[in-house]
Amino acid sequence: MDRMTRFLQSRMEGVSARLHSPVRSTRLVVVLGRLLGPAFLICFGTGIFSHYLQEPGDATFFLTRPVWIYQLTQGIHITVGIAAIPLLLAKLWTVYPELLKWPPIKNVWHALERASIALFVSASLIELTIGLINTYKWYPWPFPFRQTHYWLAWIIVGSLALHIAVKLPLIVEHWRKRPEHAGAPRPAGRWSRRGFLAAVGLGSVALVVTTAGQSFAWLAPFNIFAPRKMGTGPQSIPVNRTASEARVEKLAADPLWALHINFRDQLAAYTLEQLKAMPLSEHNLPIACVEGWSQYANWRGVPIRNLIALVGAPADSLLKITSLEPDGGYRIMTMPAAYTEDEQTLVALQLNGETLDMDHGYPARIIAPGRPGVLQTKWLKSVEVLG
Ligand SMILES: Nc1nc2c(c(=O)[nH]1)N[C@H]1C(S)=C(S)[C@@H](COP(=O)(O)O)O[C@H]1N2
Ligand SMILES: [Mo]
């Protein structure tokens, strides 16, 4: 047994020694951490914002101005998350020889440190992977994406805080370049530290430039990798779920379609002709999908506050909005008062001066300022005033 331990120990030390490279210095690990830490915190903050817009708590407040607020926060969320992938991989590559050190556990403190890192690394890898896959509208797992992504985020910030606390002495020591290192001869090896960092940084920047065009119009010409391209799709706007995917084509094309509205015992129904004859407003608002892509358009329709006023409901009402869609996660949506009372929230009938395309929600859809795309319900059936 003793020989076995010694044998294992010498093997591990051999591997560690061979893996030693100037790239694997503490200073480099700290430099990468200085980039990764803020990236994770930015993703966490923007992610929490998005989560609570979709699943409001009692304390949630809703911002409707600037109208591009969600486009900005979610664009940052996806872009920074993508940039973090090469950084995290680089950091793992620089530290993995540590995992082979012997003995694997020295004492209770050391065991805790390793457990927190193991948790942090595995949660981060899963988080970034499912997030990236989700931007391609691909959900190949049996669990609900948003809840999983949300809980992993808490695990990540918790274990990250622990990790930073444990490593604080090293972080402080290596935060700034030490003068005795500054003048030292360049370390020999296949990779210099600076070259490695430059390559990783360049990789991150290149990835951002070639994907962020789905969220930020000025980068759109460089969008190579992102799944959605601006200006594509019916009426030059991307579509998330088409009418045929939602199996709503027949119901939406029904000439007898009418929008049903009810408030207490007041019931009303308006045909498309009647809606078109009402005073219409036009606003330039973005659709900003949680998956990162977004695009502005001119929407024309009836302000929803005017519509519910017809059945006597106050402007600051909570609404339950139902789609013609027979099933699907986005069939029913609740609209908090902050959006209902906003004059820019429309039951939209037109997009960029034309009748809504079937895929964009014909005969009528919701468009509200500052709201996640998933709550911009298409193919409206009814609006119910809840209170
Ligand atoms: N009824 C219904 N409305 C819906 C959806 C849906 O699946 N069903 N998808 C939502 C999502 S996720 C987005 S991003 C926007 C996209 O709008 P667009 O397809 O017109 O671009 O519609 C939203 N409205
Ligand atoms: Mo979306």
Side-chain angles (χ1 to χ4, degrees):
M1 192 62 211
D2 205 37
R3 268 180 43 207
M4 185 68 183
T5 315
R6 259 183 284 133
F7 170 74
L8 272 177
Q9 182 168 1
S10 71
R11 296 294 303 174
M12 289 305 224
E13 277 166 3
V15 172
S16 277
R18 258 179 283 133
L19 288 173
H20 192 78
S21 138
V23 164
R24 299 202 162 89
S25 74
T26 311
R27 160 81 184 151
L28 180 66
V29 173
V30 171
V31 169
L32 285 169
R34 270 183 0 193
L35 295 168
L36 265 172
F40 273 84
L41 289 181
I42 289 170
C43 284
F44 182 72
T46 50
I48 291 289
F49 179 68
S50 178
H51 182 77
Y52 282 103
L53 287 183
Q54 292 170 72
E55 208 166 285
D58 292 336
T60 308
F61 59 96
F62 303 95
L63 287 173
T64 60
R65 295 293 180 284
V67 298
W68 39 261
I69 182 72
Y70 187 75
Q71 180 183 38
L72 179 72
T73 63
Q74 196 62 10
I76 289 174
H77 184 81
I78 303 291
T79 304
V80 173
I82 288 173
I85 294 173
L87 294 176
L88 182 67
L89 294 179
K91 181 145 173 165
L92 285 177
W93 191 72
T94 54
V95 298
Y96 87 88
E98 290 288 316
L99 303 176
L100 305 175
K101 275 204 177 142
W102 202 264
I105 290 171
K106 288 186 223 155
N107 50 44
V108 176
W109 180 245
H110 190 228
L112 272 178
E113 180 198 327
R114 296 212 124 186
S116 75
I117 292 179
L119 196 62
F120 175 67
V121 168
S122 41
S124 307
L125 284 175
I126 297 173
E127 188 78 328
L128 291 176
T129 308
I130 63 175
L132 181 69
I133 289 176
N134 185 194
T135 68
Y136 288 86
K137 220 179 102 180
W138 185 35
Y139 296 77
W141 42 73
F143 47 82
F145 170 76
R146 183 156 51 78
Q147 280 73 10
T148 312
H149 206 61
Y150 172 77
W151 286 110
L152 279 172
W154 282 105
I155 292 174
I156 290 168
V157 286
S159 53
L160 179 62
L162 208 60
H163 177 57
I164 291 174
V166 169
K167 297 288 186 187
L168 205 55
L170 277 181
I171 295 173
V172 170
E173 190 188 342
H174 294 273
W175 189 264
R176 288 174 178 282
K177 199 175 209 169
R178 278 178 299 168
E180 69 263 31
H181 280 186
R186 271 168 64 98
R190 265 192 309 144
W191 281 92
S192 76
R193 206 181 303 162
R194 199 172 288 173
F196 179 73
L197 201 60
V200 171
L202 217 66
S204 259
V205 170
L207 210 54
V208 164
V209 168
T210 51
T211 50
Q214 66 178 335
S215 320
F216 303 104
W218 51 280
L219 280 174
F222 308 106
N223 176 359
I224 298 169
F225 292 123
R228 312 303 167 80
K229 312 268 184 285
M230 280 191 190
T232 58
Q235 296 174 320
S236 308
I237 310 272
V239 167
N240 189 289
R241 195 154 182 236
T242 64
S244 94
E245 280 166 347
R247 292 186 291 121
V248 53
E249 281 164 311
K250 251 179 124 166
L251 289 167
D254 185 351
L256 295 179
W257 175 87
L259 181 61
H260 293 259
I261 309 210
N262 79 297
F263 173 54
R264 297 188 187 141
D265 51 3
Q266 293 287 315
L267 290 168
Y270 299 101
T271 64
L272 189 54
E273 289 312 312
Q274 286 171 318
L275 289 172
K276 279 199 262 183
M278 292 179 188
L280 303 181
S281 300
E282 187 161 331
H283 296 290
N284 194 236
L285 296 171
I287 292 231
C289 182
V290 292
E291 292 156 14
W293 64 269
S294 58
Q295 199 177 322
Y296 267 93
N298 263 314
W299 303 92
R300 194 170 164 78
V302 188
I304 202 157
R305 53 182 288 167
N306 298 356
L307 203 58
I308 59 168
L310 297 173
V311 288
D316 60 345
S317 293
L318 177 72
L319 307 179
K320 175 181 167 189
I321 293 174
T322 308
S323 169
L324 293 169
E325 229 180 311
D327 45 35
Y330 312 139
R331 192 173 79 87
I332 296 175
M333 170 272 277
T334 27
M335 180 179 279
Y339 302 103
T340 311
E341 67 185 350
D342 195 292
E343 60 182 19
Q344 294 202 27
T345 301
L346 303 177
V347 168
L349 310 172
Q350 286 183 6
L351 164 52
N352 290 338
E354 295 167 15
T355 301
L356 279 182
D357 187 277
M358 179 69 93
D359 285 338
H360 287 303
Y362 177 89
R365 78 170 301 163
I366 294 291
I367 184 86
R371 256 196 136 189
V374 349
L375 302 171
Q376 312 278 32
T377 308
K378 305 196 278 193
W379 314 295
L380 295 184
K381 177 184 182 179
S382 63
V383 174
E384 194 180 328
V385 181
L386 296 179

